Amino acid sequence: MKHVLSVSIGSSKRDHKVEIELLGEKFIIERRGTDGDIKRAIEIIKEMDGKVSAFGMGGIDLYLCAGNRRYIIRDAMPIARAAKISPIVDGSGLKNTLERKVIDYLVRENKVDFKGKKVLLVSGMDRFGMAESLEKAGCDMVLGDLIFALGIPLPLHSLKSLDILAKLAAPIVCKLPFKMLYPTGEKQEKVDTRHRRFYDEADIIAGDFHFIRRYMPPEIPGKIILTNTVTKDDVKMLSQRGARMLITTTPELDGRSFGTNVMEGVLVSFSDKPYKSLTPKDYEDLLEKIGFAPRIEILN
């Protein structure tokens, strides 16, 4: 039996474990949170290294992307280096492949008409593949990288402006303590609605769910939420606040849509190639083989 363990610096209240079967192979898929404690995450990885098929790195990315450039987040490096035997992935491989495919699928199957829709993508650098696909689909984009990561209420409206911002700021921002850029641990449970006008103006709210939830106003009537990493309680909350539709880019497993890091861990467990040599084409072939489908749920 294969075992994919996501070690997250997010809240332990979101821990989950399921057993599933994919292509005749049994899997344990597990998520463990450390409530913002990076040292504890490293301890868990060292303890389980070689005992699991793959690690997911949750609650923090190793890379931010813009254009064809990748920027390494300094605080993530010790976590990635803690695994010496088992592969460790942060989900960026899937974000660059699966999330592009999901947007194309939604357009092709007439599930969502993106053309002219106002889309708030809470961080374009976190999900550059999704950002490119949404812009290609004709969306009126608001990229919230300055708003939600840095607290500067200036929306970006194109990938070109994101590219300029990345060149100027990313080399510095990536060296800041990660907790300054992203809600970790107990911060994931707190709400801050000072930027609600960007939610009110959007038809579709997309991207990382912890960012979305942290800044979400009490009412989001008629909105489409495009994300992943949602629990049953999250789905209930979105429904109560009036969201019309939930789309997760990763499939539902036992009531839970895991993060891209978890599902990327599943893919590298299937691959015969060393995980660091996997290309976008390899990921696309594996996705085709497994047949992951997005979760689409009408809430109201």
Side-chain angles (χ1 to χ4, degrees):
M1 179 179 286
K2 295 184 184 294
H3 184 182
V4 175
L5 175 61
S6 172
V7 181
S8 172
I9 62 171
S11 170
S12 58
K13 292 178 182 175
R14 300 174 69 83
D15 285 358
H16 199 62
K17 183 177 180 180
V18 297
E19 288 188 30
I20 63 167
E21 187 170 320
L22 289 170
L23 302 177
E25 189 91 45
K26 291 186 177 178
F27 272 83
I28 294 175
I29 300 178
E30 181 180 6
R31 186 262 192 199
R32 291 190 206 171
T34 65
D35 300 312
D37 189 338
I38 289 178
K39 288 183 179 177
R40 178 61 186 144
I42 291 171
E43 288 173 0
I44 293 172
I45 291 169
K46 287 182 175 178
E47 175 190 336
M48 297 300 292
D49 194 20
K51 300 175 184 174
V52 297
S53 309
F55 289 108
M57 184 193 302
I60 187 170
D61 290 329
L62 182 57
Y63 301 109
L64 293 178
C65 301
N68 57 4
R69 299 183 307 282
R70 293 199 305 183
Y71 302 91
I72 298 177
I73 295 175
R74 186 168 66 181
D75 273 359
M77 293 172 67
I79 302 174
R81 288 172 178 163
K84 305 295 184 188
I85 303 170
S86 303
I88 184 165
V89 292
D90 71 339
S92 57
L94 262 194
K95 287 175 184 173
N96 197 36
T97 51
L98 173 67
E99 298 199 327
R100 291 179 190 273
K101 290 170 68 74
V102 166
I103 304 300
D104 293 344
Y105 169 84
L106 294 171
V107 171
R108 187 175 65 249
E109 299 296 324
N110 294 317
K111 300 293 184 183
V112 179
D113 180 9
F114 287 105
K115 196 168 185 180
K117 292 288 192 303
K118 293 184 177 178
V119 175
L120 170 62
L121 179 57
V122 287
S123 174
M125 289 189 70
D126 174 52
R127 280 176 157 78
F128 193 76
M130 179 183 283
E132 281 195 322
S133 295
L134 288 170
E135 188 172 80
K136 180 183 169 187
C139 294
D140 181 1
M141 300 285 289
V142 169
L143 302 167
D145 296 71
L146 282 172
I147 304 166
F148 302 110
L150 299 179
I152 302 170
L154 292 176
L156 304 174
H157 292 286
S158 69
L159 294 182
K160 186 177 179 181
S161 57
L162 181 67
D163 188 54
I164 294 170
L165 171 69
K167 286 178 180 174
L168 294 173
I172 300 168
V173 167
C174 287
K175 293 176 183 173
L176 295 174
F178 190 68
K179 62 184 179 183
M180 291 178 62
L181 307 174
Y182 183 80
T184 61
E186 290 183 355
K187 280 189 178 179
Q188 292 184 348
E189 308 297 325
K190 296 180 180 177
V191 175
D192 178 348
T193 59
R194 63 185 146 150
H195 303 302
R196 70 167 296 164
R197 73 180 176 93
F198 297 105
Y199 282 74
D200 292 342
E201 293 169 358
D203 301 306
I204 300 169
I205 300 161
D208 179 271
F209 188 71
H210 292 300
F211 261 148
I212 291 175
R213 188 177 58 170
R214 178 164 170 74
Y215 295 98
M216 184 185 294
E219 307 90 21
I220 49 170
K223 310 295 183 186
I224 296 174
I225 308 298
L226 174 59
T227 186
N228 59 35
T229 327
V230 293
T231 66
K232 289 180 181 176
D233 286 343
D234 295 328
V235 177
K236 183 179 178 183
M237 178 269 291
L238 290 170
S239 180
Q240 289 172 340
R241 295 190 187 197
R244 180 166 68 86
M245 181 187 292
L246 169 67
I247 302 168
T248 64
T249 57
T250 51
E252 178 183 359
L253 300 174
D254 193 24
R256 176 73 177 270
S257 297
F258 284 99
T260 49
N261 73 89
V262 182
M263 305 318 291
E264 189 173 330
V266 172
L267 292 189
V268 301
S269 298
F270 270 121
S271 176
D272 296 327
K273 296 174 66 174
Y275 77 103
K276 289 185 178 179
S277 68
L278 290 174
T279 65
K281 178 68 167 56
D282 292 323
Y283 280 112
E284 288 181 4
D285 290 345
L286 287 165
L287 286 168
E288 197 70 31
K289 188 175 177 183
I290 295 174
F292 278 166
R295 164 189 187 172
I296 302 173
E297 196 167 336
I298 304 297
L299 303 178
N300 288 288

